Amino acid sequence: MKAQLITSRLGCLAFAALVFLPVAALPYPANASSRSVTAAQTPSLWRSRETRESGEAPQDARPTAECPGEKSRPVVSCAAFWNPRPTAEAAQACRAPGACPSAPVAYRVVSVMNFKSTPAAALADWADYHLLLGVDHMVFIDNNCGDGGRLGQARLVGRPPWEVALSPYVNAGVATLVTRYRCLDFNNSFGAPALRYRVMSEEAAASPLRERMRDDTFVLTIDDDEYMVMPDPLETLATVAQSMKLNQLCAANVIWRNYGDAGYTCQPQMPAVGAFWGRAPLWQEAEEHRPYIKHALEEAGAINIHPGFRKGKALFNWGHMRDCTVESPKNDWTVTAHQCEADCGALRNCAHKTGLHHDMETSDECYPFHAASGDHEVKGLASGGLWINHFEFQSLEHWEAKKARGRTNDHSPRLGTPPSYFNDVEDASGAIALQLRIRAVQSAPLRTCLARKFLSAPGSAAAEETRHLQPSQSTESNAEHDSRSLQAAALRGKPGVLFWHFSGAGGTSLVSWLAHSLGLHPPADTVGPNANWATDAKVTTGYPSMIGSKIGLDHAPRSRRHDCQEIDAAIARGEGTMFGFETPAMAPLACKNAVIWLTMRDPIERIISRLYKSTKGGKSSDTALDSIGGEAAVLRALDKTTWFHSTAHTVGTRSTGGKPLAGKPTWSPNGTLRYGRNRRALGMDTLGSASLNNVYTRSLLGPASFLRPLDDLRVADLDAAKVVLGGFDVVIPMWAMETLPFLLGLPVHVLAPTVSVHGSHSMASKASVSPELAVKLAKHNQLDEKLYAHAIELHRARLRERARLLWPPGKVQTRPAPTGGGRKPPPVATATGAGRGPTALELCPADEFADALGVLSALLPRAVSRGGGLEALTARYVGRFGSAVCPAAHASAGWPRSTRSSRLLLNMAEGTSGTRTVNCWLEGAQLRTAHFPLTATELTPKSATAPGRLHECTRGAGANSCTGQYDLYDYVSDVPVPQVAQLLLQTHSASQLAAVLTLRDPWEWTMSRTNSHSQHNASEDRSFIDDHSFVSVPCGCPWRPADRSEADRIRMTGRSPSRYKVEAYSKLGKETGVLVDTFESPGCAEPTPLTRHTTAALDMLTHNAWTYCVASRRRVPLFAANLAEDMFLMEHVPGSNDTQRLLSKTPSNRPRKIESLYRELLSFVGKATGRKDKRQPEKIRADGSAAGEVGARRASNLGLERNERVAREVDGAAGGGRPTA
């Protein structure tokens, strides 16, 4: 990998691309692929890392004084397009539900930065970038003295270039330039933080800051080489401001990702955010690598810089900026920009000091807001994550200028050259986030300017991973952003949409998305945030109108639903384009001018989430259930037909002390029922038996069916409801919202609605429901469960159909697969001959890959959107891996057909996703398990191996073949299982195999895997990578983990030896163990090193979807689960109706959430294999409780690490070891 980084460096060549006028032309390097640079092609200004470290200079190298000069780079400014700020950008900052409720975004986020000797072009880059992220006003403090500090105290003559560069932003009203602090000297008692506060205090007294500076205004105080990164383009810095207010924070902490010099001598003639992609590892990636950390500390100390681990910047609001930045007698701590030690009174301060040797733990309440000692992406501030890309070095030229500039404190001067380890991890996450954000800009001139300005260096990881995010050559960029074009694509040519809204199924989020992404708008007389139109469209008015005398009102129940004449007429008159109906039983079934959309959620989860929803905005324990008399009332309604609030079946309520409401009810048009002095508002799920018993089926069939008695619906009614459902234009499960733009054929820049369906945010998962109620709800909603399963299949079929339009079967164009392990690309005849194995696309066509990725998106919240969306990721799979060749399973190669009579359980996922925990669970259930280092194909003593020689099982037969070795076990997981998963799927029929897929957020997984498995032997030197640092890919070449040395054996078995580990090493004696390859396949794809952080994360996501797809196509029983989020789904399970649940069947009454998933896994194993759990109930509870610590604390952030730790402590308790034939 290091060689790759070295040989891929770019020199300082001139560029030729034009940039949107009126800015000047922007030069970029001419070579198109940096990865193909050879020694003969190396630019004359090149200086490799080895050359710098040895002190030798190549013959053609020139000193930095001969560089063109980074200050000579032309200024590319988009300032002319920021005023007035485009409406879409302002709206986007507040598009999340509840965001910015009290003030416009323009008064929310202000930045302040002092600069000295900063090139003018870099200041314009920083300004445009952060305006795009949501900064509303920028304050620049000019600390220059002379020509950027080089002329000492010389007086400036004329307007300096940086002032010229910033003037357009000042004129546009989005920036203030302060020049009165030129030539200011700093010291430790008055540094940059104190200066920034002083300037902000002075500027806040007058316009334009006076109107913006309130106590809760978010003040961003970062430097000119620091760029905030927010992977979710739906979020902006206004999201951070809002999160700090809602979470009662005065200060928080975000971490640096420190980027190196990328081998440049001269500064590249382009923005830093596109030129540099190699960074130092985070502490979370390198903590276990003690020799590496030690060496990094030595390198950084030698040049007087911080090593870059666990350091970042403090974030705070204006009300507490002084406390965080100004020295005072009461402070016993030194003010820095990296922390805040202020006492914030009633608010929380989550920016306290941490350092390399401080405790990694922080308080529970600050965990998601403190990146250095808690969640490194501070997801409490932005659900998509937040960090700072810190371009500290950039190039040798830039570093020399930075050393000459000096510091803003009395710290020791910077020395030497940039340390090499700052380039060790390839990270393009910021580039992907930037390109997604630029593509979402609505203003065509602004979007064009930003797109041409922020290009990625050709051939870089950033350029490669953003390639599929670019519009096609045939796409007219302005047209794809035009709301009319988007509406025409999404609404199939009709001018409006009618949305059927079942409360609690994500409808409010969808309505918001329709308005902000497609430009649809409801009529002026709609009510509430759900675009409800007409009297009967709102819950509190529609249901009393429909039910009438059944709850004691004076009018007869309504027996017919509405038609669409009024809606069609309103659309024709131009009064609106979006109409909501929160009473689906009365909603029209067909419209001339409107498509009909419907979202659905698991019926039982939806009912529970509504019954247990707080009636007072989450600030009270009062729930909708309380208003009808509690759980007992629901149980009675499931025993006998009941209408709540009726004179015949009134139940006691909390406010009346359990006494029935007396008197004949009266109803006001606002939906309030009055019984004397007592008032009760109706909700869809507090009507009575009908709202608890197959409400989907009842609603689709209309008012008459909705009012039928408890359990009166039959299978024929279900069939009729399916017919109605098939006539809708869009039917989408709530968990599949991330697939919506792809399903509708919208451009990549149209982002999916944000809906939190995962366990940690579900009202259903927080409810405390008795087992009796859970069982009764399941019993009385069987038709709805089947209807929901049908809706899922309908959605998936439509998604596959859409994918086939983009990638027609048999006509898909692919690129040659990347080959790995130093192999040359195979000869065409070898890769395509009669004896070759299947390609990745043959095993999983593009349409079924898209379907699999859409399904897994439910278990990996926002991962698909962060990777660029369903279309971009599918295109990436087709282009990157489509032509890769998998090995063919033949008896002659050691892979004969299996003869086993029971199902083998195969975990297709990479390790560090919970594989060891699952292994522990199943080992305790008396299954024979194999988990590295006890592998089905045993480790081989190093003395018995030879280069290129395959494992002995490839020459064996029967039990000695590779198939036979795996068949000795009941459950196999971890290395090398993901590499041979498709071979096992070839050699085993659906009756001989069941698949498990343990999932984890791909970016979290990459960091954790790098930390725990990239340098396995404690005796290794400072190298950050070794043979264990890869992720498997579709049809990937084999790769082996690090050899297991004697020192490693002692370390691994010394603390809590388990039988399977002891046995694995006992086979080796005192020798080093090697995992030898079990297959070879000409044309296979190169496995991805973990140090290619972004690519590894995306490839892991791709491999998960691909293996899921291959298993699903073979109808193999499959259980996929995200242990950290406590979510799972099952397919093709014997005796199951294939309803895909995303929470457990008992999503409530589980203080330790993971226990329910644990029980469901054992249930799946029992159904798939015919085995019964042999452990005693108390043992199950004990193990479930232990594993349940995952969900009890930091479930979505720390869960997997804590889960693995639990497994390590108990994995030897139940025995195990290698079976014999």
Side-chain angles (χ1 to χ4, degrees):
M1 181 60 192
K2 288 186 177 180
Q4 284 182 332
L5 287 172
I6 293 168
T7 58
S8 66
R9 306 303 183 215
L10 294 173
C12 301
L13 302 181
F15 276 60
L18 295 177
V19 176
F20 188 87
L21 295 177
V23 295
L26 176 62
Y28 283 104
N31 58 310
S33 176
S34 67
R35 292 194 175 277
S36 62
V37 173
T38 64
Q41 298 170 327
T42 300
S44 61
L45 297 182
W46 176 272
R47 292 183 69 194
S48 72
R49 186 187 308 149
E50 286 86 348
T51 300
R52 295 184 194 175
E53 291 178 347
S54 66
E56 300 175 358
Q59 291 183 352
D60 60 352
R62 295 180 292 176
T64 58
E66 298 183 32
C67 291
E70 61 174 321
K71 293 185 178 181
S72 64
R73 176 162 71 94
V75 175
V76 180
S77 171
C78 299
F81 311 117
W82 288 111
N83 188 36
R85 166 162 288 200
T87 303
E89 277 64 65
Q92 180 161 298
C94 290
R95 67 196 306 173
C100 310
S102 60
V105 64
Y107 299 92
R108 284 284 181 184
V109 183
V110 173
S111 70
V112 55
M113 178 181 75
N114 56 293
F115 66 93
K116 180 179 181 181
S117 194
T118 305
L123 290 172
D125 297 342
W126 192 98
D128 285 326
Y129 181 97
H130 286 94
L131 286 170
L132 180 62
L133 258 70
V135 172
D136 300 294
H137 196 83
M138 305 171 293
V139 177
F140 294 95
I141 308 171
D142 183 358
N143 289 152
N144 285 294
C145 200
D147 183 16
R150 294 184 180 181
L151 303 181
Q153 298 293 324
R155 183 180 298 276
L156 290 170
V157 178
R159 296 183 69 200
W162 55 88
E163 185 174 324
V164 174
L166 292 176
S167 292
Y169 300 94
V170 175
N171 296 335
V174 296
T176 296
L177 176 61
V178 177
T179 61
R180 57 184 175 273
Y181 289 98
R182 286 174 175 165
C183 298
L184 176 71
D185 289 328
F186 292 100
N187 54 52
N188 280 340
S189 62
F190 189 83
L195 172 63
R196 290 168 177 173
Y197 174 73
R198 175 184 290 184
V199 169
M200 293 301 289
S201 298
E202 295 168 348
E203 295 298 319
S207 292
L209 284 185
R210 180 171 54 202
E211 297 80 9
R212 290 175 165 84
M213 304 309 293
R214 308 178 322 189
D215 283 351
D216 62 353
T217 296
F218 177 42
V219 183
L220 185 66
T221 60
I222 59 176
D223 297 330
D224 56 14
D225 58 2
E226 296 172 336
Y227 288 75
M228 303 293 294
V229 177
M230 302 183 73
D232 189 344
L234 291 177
E235 298 178 319
T236 70
L237 292 171
T239 308
V240 179
Q242 186 70 10
S243 296
M244 292 185 69
K245 181 177 181 180
L246 293 177
N247 290 288
Q248 297 184 313
L249 298 175
C250 71
N253 172 276
V254 291
I255 209 165
W256 277 341
R257 294 191 182 185
N258 295 280
Y259 285 74
D261 63 352
Y264 285 107
T265 293
C266 296
Q267 185 73 3
Q269 298 293 293
M270 64 185 301
V273 292
F276 302 95
W277 60 92
R279 63 166 172 82
L282 300 180
W283 179 260
Q284 288 84 350
E285 295 169 314
E287 177 187 5
E288 299 292 334
H289 304 222
R290 296 300 170 171
Y292 182 90
I293 293 289
K294 180 176 181 293
H295 188 94
L297 293 174
E298 292 171 351
E299 280 197 279
I303 64 172
N304 293 334
I305 65 168
H306 191 277
F309 303 118
R310 298 186 64 197
K311 188 175 183 181
K313 284 295 183 70
L315 304 180
F316 36 75
N317 54 40
W318 174 237
H320 291 86
M321 184 177 182
R322 184 185 187 284
D323 296 334
C324 292
T325 58
V326 179
E327 296 276 7
S328 68
K330 67 177 182 179
N331 292 342
D332 57 358
W333 47 276
T334 301
V335 168
T336 75
H338 309 286
Q339 68 193 67
C340 174
E341 300 296 331
D343 180 0
C344 296
L347 299 182
R348 285 182 290 170
N349 180 355
C350 292
H352 289 293
K353 180 181 180 181
T354 57
L356 190 59
H357 304 292
H358 286 250
D359 185 6
M360 268 301 276
E361 296 293 329
T362 190
S363 64
D364 283 350
E365 63 179 13
C366 278
Y367 181 84
F369 310 111
H370 199 308
S373 61
D375 176 6
H376 62 274
E377 290 191 5
V378 288
K379 294 188 177 67
L381 295 179
S383 61
L386 175 70
W387 67 86
I388 297 173
N389 278 356
H390 183 206
F391 300 99
E392 183 174 10
F393 304 104
Q394 300 187 33
S395 66
L396 192 59
E397 177 191 10
H398 181 87
W399 179 243
E400 293 297 330
K402 195 168 184 177
K403 290 192 294 184
R405 183 187 70 190
R407 294 182 177 271
T408 59
N409 49 41
D410 289 340
H411 291 176
S412 300
R414 302 176 179 96
L415 305 170
T417 58
S420 59
Y421 73 88
F422 279 88
N423 295 297
D424 277 352
V425 177
E426 189 180 87
D427 189 345
S429 300
I432 291 178
L434 176 60
Q435 292 305 317
L436 283 172
R437 197 172 293 273
I438 290 174
R439 283 211 64 186
V441 172
Q442 297 293 311
S443 165
L446 177 60
R447 184 178 62 255
T448 303
C449 181
L450 293 171
R452 292 179 175 176
K453 175 174 185 173
F454 291 113
L455 296 176
S456 297
S460 68
E464 173 64 19
E465 294 302 348
T466 58
R467 185 171 62 87
H468 296 296
L469 303 180
Q470 306 304 321
S472 64
Q473 296 297 322
S474 60
T475 301
E476 206 285 302
S477 181
N478 292 341
E480 74 168 8
H481 285 77
D482 181 73
S483 61
R484 288 170 296 182
S485 299
L486 297 177
Q487 291 170 18
L491 307 184
R492 302 184 179 182
K494 291 188 177 182
V497 60
L498 169 63
F499 174 53
W500 279 37
H501 185 181
F502 285 97
S503 177
T508 303
S509 297
L510 184 59
V511 168
S512 176
W513 180 83
L514 287 168
H516 292 128
S517 296
L518 301 185
L520 300 179
H521 63 92
D525 56 347
T526 54
V527 180
N530 297 323
N532 293 323
W533 186 74
T535 302
D536 286 345
K538 189 170 175 59
V539 170
T540 53
T541 55
Y543 281 112
S545 172
M546 181 176 69
I547 300 171
S549 59
K550 289 184 177 292
I551 56 173
L553 298 176
D554 291 331
H555 63 274
R558 185 183 180 96
S559 59
R560 297 179 60 186
R561 65 170 70 247
H562 288 269
D563 58 35
C564 209
Q565 290 183 3
E566 291 185 56
I567 292 177
D568 284 336
I571 294 175
R573 292 192 298 268
E575 295 175 2
T577 53
M578 177 169 56
F579 299 80
F581 241 94
E582 243 177 316
T583 52
M586 293 189 289
L589 285 177
C591 296
K592 175 183 177 182
N593 291 332
V595 294
I596 299 181
W597 289 13
L598 170 66
T599 62
M600 298 179 73
R601 182 180 181 182
D602 179 274
I604 297 174
E605 289 172 20
R606 193 197 62 79
I607 292 173
I608 291 175
S609 73
R610 298 300 90 189
L611 290 178
Y612 290 86
K613 181 179 180 180
S614 172
T615 57
K616 298 184 178 180
K619 299 180 180 179
S620 168
S621 60
D622 288 341
T623 64
L625 190 66
D626 294 324
S627 71
I628 57 173
E631 191 172 287
V634 176
L635 291 172
R636 285 195 292 270
L638 291 172
D639 286 333
K640 181 180 179 181
T641 302
T642 300
W643 294 100
F644 300 142
H645 304 298
S646 71
T647 54
H649 300 289
T650 299
V651 294
T653 67
R654 184 170 180 170
S655 63
T656 61
K659 298 178 181 179
L661 296 171
K664 182 177 176 63
T666 57
W667 172 57
S668 62
N670 67 1
T672 299
L673 287 173
R674 184 181 295 275
Y675 296 81
R677 296 182 179 180
N678 295 298
R679 293 186 302 172
R680 282 290 173 267
L682 281 177
M684 177 179 176
D685 300 286
T686 56
L687 298 173
S689 300
S691 61
L692 303 168
N693 173 222
N694 295 318
V695 69
Y696 285 152
T697 308
R698 291 171 180 269
S699 297
L700 285 170
L701 297 180
S705 293
F706 189 91
L707 299 176
R708 286 162 65 178
L710 180 71
D711 290 335
D712 192 52
L713 274 64
R714 299 292 183 264
V715 174
D717 298 304
L718 172 63
D719 293 338
K722 289 180 178 179
V723 172
V724 174
L725 202 64
F728 289 0
D729 299 274
V730 170
V731 178
I732 188 166
M734 178 172 149
W735 57 259
M737 287 291 196
E738 285 194 57
T739 69
L740 186 58
F742 176 80
L743 182 69
L744 299 175
L746 298 175
V748 174
H749 75 269
V750 180
L751 304 169
T754 300
V755 181
S756 296
V757 299
H758 46 302
S760 56
H761 294 125
S762 169
M763 191 66 67
S765 70
K766 298 177 182 178
S768 180
V769 183
S770 70
E772 181 184 6
L773 178 56
V775 169
K776 282 204 169 188
L777 286 173
K779 175 184 176 182
H780 293 283
N781 285 279
Q782 293 182 35
L783 295 183
D784 268 13
E785 290 282 11
K786 294 177 181 178
L787 184 65
Y788 179 62
H790 175 75
I792 290 173
E793 289 308 312
L794 181 62
H795 162 73
R796 293 178 64 179
R798 290 175 174 177
L799 188 144
R800 290 192 294 268
E801 181 182 359
R802 165 65 185 161
R804 284 192 290 271
L805 293 175
L806 294 177
W807 301 283
K811 298 182 180 179
V812 175
Q813 298 295 317
T814 64
R815 294 177 294 156
T819 56
R823 303 169 179 83
K824 294 181 179 180
V828 175
T830 303
T832 61
R836 75 158 174 85
T839 66
L841 268 176
E842 289 169 347
L843 289 172
C844 176
D847 61 321
E848 300 201 42
F849 176 86
D851 173 42
L853 191 60
V855 171
L856 295 189
S857 71
L859 302 181
L860 296 167
R862 304 303 292 173
V864 170
S865 293
R866 180 170 176 177
L870 195 64
E871 181 176 341
L873 288 173
T874 303
R876 183 182 185 276
Y877 158 68
V878 170
R880 184 174 172 83
F881 301 111
S883 62
V885 180
C886 286
H890 298 297
S892 60
W895 291 96
R897 297 286 300 177
S898 173
T899 59
R900 69 181 294 144
S901 57
S902 61
R903 283 191 173 96
L904 168 68
L905 287 167
L906 160 70
N907 193 334
M908 305 180 293
E910 295 284 7
T912 320
S913 61
T915 57
R916 193 175 305 176
T917 295
V918 172
N919 184 82
C920 166
W921 288 349
L922 298 184
E923 190 178 49
Q926 306 304 306
L927 272 69
R928 294 169 296 173
T929 67
H931 183 283
F932 192 84
L934 179 62
T935 57
T937 51
E938 293 180 314
L939 301 181
T940 302
K942 196 165 189 176
S943 61
T945 63
R949 187 176 178 84
L950 297 178
H951 194 279
E952 61 181 3
C953 75
T954 61
R955 299 177 293 279
N960 294 320
S961 68
C962 299
T963 302
Q965 295 292 284
Y966 278 94
D967 280 347
L968 293 175
Y969 290 89
D970 300 314
Y971 171 74
V972 292
S973 61
D974 201 18
V975 178
V977 176
Q979 304 172 42
V980 300
Q982 63 84 24
L983 279 168
L984 291 170
L985 286 165
Q986 287 186 57
T987 56
H988 293 72
S989 68
S991 63
Q992 295 174 313
L993 195 72
V996 175
L997 191 62
T998 46
L999 301 168
R1000 187 176 183 182
D1001 176 84
W1003 289 268
E1004 293 278 351
W1005 176 86
T1006 303
M1007 288 191 176
S1008 180
R1009 186 74 167 175
T1010 302
N1011 189 29
S1012 59
H1013 290 83
S1014 280
Q1015 190 172 339
H1016 227 71
N1017 297 330
S1019 59
E1020 291 186 57
D1021 62 14
R1022 63 171 293 271
S1023 175
F1024 189 59
I1025 61 172
D1026 59 28
D1027 286 345
H1028 209 166
S1029 305
F1030 291 88
V1031 59
S1032 298
V1033 298
C1035 288
C1037 303
W1039 59 270
R1040 75 183 199 198
D1043 298 341
R1044 321 307 287 185
S1045 67
E1046 173 66 9
D1048 185 57
R1049 181 191 69 78
I1050 296 172
R1051 181 174 66 87
M1052 292 291 288
T1053 62
R1055 291 176 295 180
S1056 56
S1058 64
R1059 286 181 57 187
Y1060 80 88
K1061 288 181 181 177
V1062 171
E1063 181 159 349
Y1065 287 112
S1066 67
K1067 299 279 186 179
L1068 302 171
K1070 298 291 184 178
E1071 281 208 59
T1072 295
V1074 178
L1075 184 65
V1076 181
D1077 296 342
T1078 58
F1079 70 92
E1080 58 183 357
S1081 180
C1084 57
E1086 176 185 6
T1088 304
L1090 294 185
T1091 46
R1092 297 187 64 191
H1093 171 79
T1094 305
T1095 302
L1098 295 175
D1099 284 353
M1100 190 243 194
L1101 180 60
T1102 300
H1103 188 258
N1104 282 338
W1106 183 75
T1107 52
Y1108 177 96
C1109 169
V1110 176
S1112 183
R1113 292 189 79 207
R1114 297 181 65 85
R1115 304 293 295 178
V1116 169
L1118 189 143
F1119 183 94
N1122 183 331
L1123 273 67
E1125 295 285 359
D1126 190 24
M1127 298 189 300
F1128 69 92
L1129 60 84
M1130 291 186 285
E1131 277 197 336
H1132 313 310
V1133 181
S1136 170
N1137 65 3
D1138 260 6
T1139 298
Q1140 294 178 297
R1141 294 181 175 276
L1142 300 181
L1143 292 172
S1144 74
K1145 291 182 179 178
T1146 53
S1148 50
N1149 197 24
R1150 48 188 178 139
R1152 298 178 176 91
K1153 298 197 311 178
I1154 201 70
E1155 183 174 353
S1156 61
L1157 191 151
Y1158 160 79
R1159 291 176 180 274
E1160 290 296 337
L1161 173 62
L1162 294 187
S1163 174
F1164 167 81
V1165 171
K1167 292 177 180 178
T1169 66
R1171 286 175 169 270
K1172 293 184 178 180
D1173 184 17
K1174 299 178 181 179
R1175 287 195 286 184
Q1176 298 298 319
E1178 57 269 19
K1179 176 65 175 176
I1180 294 176
R1181 284 195 297 271
D1183 284 355
S1185 298
E1189 293 179 17
V1190 181
R1193 184 169 180 261
R1194 306 172 187 171
S1196 62
N1197 300 301
L1198 195 62
L1200 269 293
E1201 288 85 350
R1202 192 168 288 276
N1203 211 351
E1204 297 276 9
R1205 193 179 308 127
V1206 172
R1208 286 198 295 268
E1209 293 170 358
V1210 300
D1211 60 6
R1218 183 179 181 81
T1220 57

